[in-house]
Amino acid sequence: MRSIWKGDLSFGLVNVPVKVYSATESHDRTSHQVDAKDGTRIRYRKVREGTDTEVEFSDIASAYEADSGETVILTKSDLSELPVQRSPEISITGFVPEDQIDPIFFDKPYYLEPASKSPKAYVLLRQALADTERLAIATFTLRNRTRLAALRVYENVMTLQTLLWPDEVRAPEFASLEDEPEIRPQELSMAASLIESMATDFDPDEYEDTYQLELGKLIEAKASGAEAFPTTEESADTDDDSEVADLLAALRASVKSRGESSGSSGDSSTSSEEKAPAKKAPAKKAAAKKTTSTTATKTAAKKAPAKTAAKKASSSAAKKSPAKKAPAKKAG
């Protein structure tokens, strides 16, 4: 990895020289735009408006609107004069409990590597953060911008997680939630049961980016002239979805499904399933099928001995079989 920033991590009178590395990388496939007709590459040129004159990158500045509405042009040289640009320091302003920062504020993570010959100060701060279960709140400048960040420990390395500024998080104001519907105790209980049935530990290795996998299959199939995803007939069995009448029934069905998939279900959830109106219809269908199957089996069992009995007149089975009807006709 290549470091993107180098400076000092400071708290109190202690300075810890560090190098900053991006902790994440994109696994998206690279692409470029082309004309769909013939694949000709599409290029972008920065030109003056109303002309075809191209402008060099070094001559491009940024235009901002002042409070008065006037347009102000700032060059890269102007922006470099900002005082924050001259601060090569990650300044810790305080230490807060880990649960006081909502994940919605987390932005991009960076790894911090000790940059001095002796990593003792780095290890000391890392261990202290882990033992106290606190996050260090810090400010620093990266790519011409002042950043707010949280310093925490991840897999034995100090990680600098940039945070969004308070005014960057939009207020969740939705009219649909102003008059919330009443939640029945049974619904809340079943929702809790469903959550408990799905409780597990997070293992990121269990998940994969299916979009990128399918995109790769599509690319390779196109390259070889094959069909990437052959169409298959979809199952028409949608009874489970259509017969779920309400939220409580859906919750009960979900809990039952989880119980069956795990091989065991609680007594309380089983009794709830028996009372669920949405599951009565499938139960009748299943019973009907079972009865029909049983009747067919018995009928087949009767017919088989009958045929055998017709050939064996001396057997007792022959007396009970349809073969008995023949003598009756002769007597008449």
Side-chain angles (χ1 to χ4, degrees):
M1 290 191 293
R2 185 172 62 88
S3 64
I4 60 174
W5 191 90
K6 184 176 180 179
D8 291 330
L9 177 62
S10 66
F11 65 108
L13 299 177
V14 180
N15 288 333
V16 183
V18 293
K19 293 180 181 179
V20 178
Y21 299 82
S22 179
T24 60
E25 61 183 1
S26 173
H27 62 196
D28 292 351
R29 285 176 173 259
T30 57
S31 64
H32 53 264
Q33 293 183 327
V34 298
D35 189 331
K37 298 176 181 178
D38 56 11
T40 302
R41 183 76 176 266
I42 302 297
R43 302 280 185 179
Y44 286 96
R45 298 167 55 238
K46 297 184 182 296
V47 299
R48 293 175 58 88
E49 187 176 3
T51 72
D52 193 41
T53 305
E54 192 166 353
V55 181
E56 295 293 333
F57 179 76
S58 58
D59 295 331
I60 297 176
S62 299
Y64 296 87
E65 185 176 332
D67 295 339
S68 61
E70 181 184 358
T71 299
V72 178
I73 298 177
L74 296 180
T75 64
K76 294 179 180 61
S77 177
D78 294 330
L79 294 173
S80 65
E81 296 178 2
L82 293 172
V84 294
Q85 299 296 320
R86 296 190 291 269
S87 178
E89 184 177 83
I90 301 174
S91 178
I92 295 177
T93 59
F95 296 87
V96 303
E98 292 178 338
D99 59 358
Q100 282 193 359
I101 301 180
D102 192 275
I104 198 171
F105 285 94
F106 289 139
D107 193 12
K108 185 173 175 58
Y110 296 90
Y111 289 141
L112 299 185
E113 179 193 20
S116 62
K117 294 181 179 179
S118 173
K120 185 174 183 179
Y122 177 97
V123 174
L124 175 63
L125 178 57
R126 182 200 66 195
Q127 193 62 43
L129 280 175
D131 292 347
T132 58
E133 297 183 350
R134 288 182 175 269
L135 301 178
I137 302 301
T139 58
F140 71 109
T141 301
L142 179 66
R143 298 193 179 101
N144 303 327
R145 288 186 58 188
T146 301
R147 313 273 178 161
L148 181 66
L151 189 68
R152 60 191 183 90
V153 179
Y154 173 74
E155 293 191 354
N156 213 35
V157 175
M158 280 199 291
T159 304
L160 195 67
Q161 185 101 33
T162 57
L163 303 175
L164 298 173
W165 295 101
D167 59 354
E168 290 182 307
V169 179
R170 302 169 65 182
E173 299 175 349
F174 301 104
S176 59
L177 293 177
E178 291 179 358
D179 297 324
E180 294 192 357
E182 182 181 355
I183 300 298
R184 292 182 287 172
Q186 300 94 323
E187 293 171 338
L188 187 59
S189 176
M190 291 305 300
S193 298
L194 178 57
I195 291 174
E196 287 301 322
S197 69
M198 299 178 67
T200 183
D201 293 322
F202 177 63
D203 182 3
D205 292 332
E206 294 181 356
Y207 302 88
E208 57 186 8
D209 189 342
T210 53
Y211 173 79
Q212 290 298 326
L213 293 175
E214 292 173 354
L215 178 61
K217 291 180 181 179
L218 180 60
I219 293 173
E220 296 305 318
K222 281 279 189 178
S224 61
E227 187 176 0
F229 310 105
T231 56
T232 57
E233 294 184 2
E234 296 184 0
S235 174
D237 186 12
T238 58
D239 291 344
D240 290 343
D241 293 334
S242 60
E243 292 172 358
V244 175
D246 56 24
L247 178 59
L248 183 57
L251 290 169
R252 284 172 175 163
S254 299
V255 173
K256 182 178 180 181
S257 176
R258 295 293 302 179
E260 291 176 347
S261 63
S262 62
S264 63
S265 59
D267 293 337
S268 61
S269 62
T270 304
S271 61
S272 299
E273 299 306 326
E274 293 173 353
K275 298 177 182 179
K279 288 298 177 180
K280 286 183 180 178
K284 290 181 180 178
K285 291 181 180 179
K289 289 181 180 179
K290 186 175 181 181
T291 302
T292 304
S293 176
T294 304
T295 303
T297 304
K298 290 181 179 179
T299 302
K302 289 181 179 179
K303 289 181 178 179
K307 293 179 180 179
T308 305
K311 297 179 181 180
K312 298 179 180 180
S314 61
S315 67
S316 58
K319 295 178 181 181
K320 298 180 181 180
S321 67
K324 187 178 180 181
K325 294 181 180 178
K329 290 180 178 180
K330 291 179 179 180

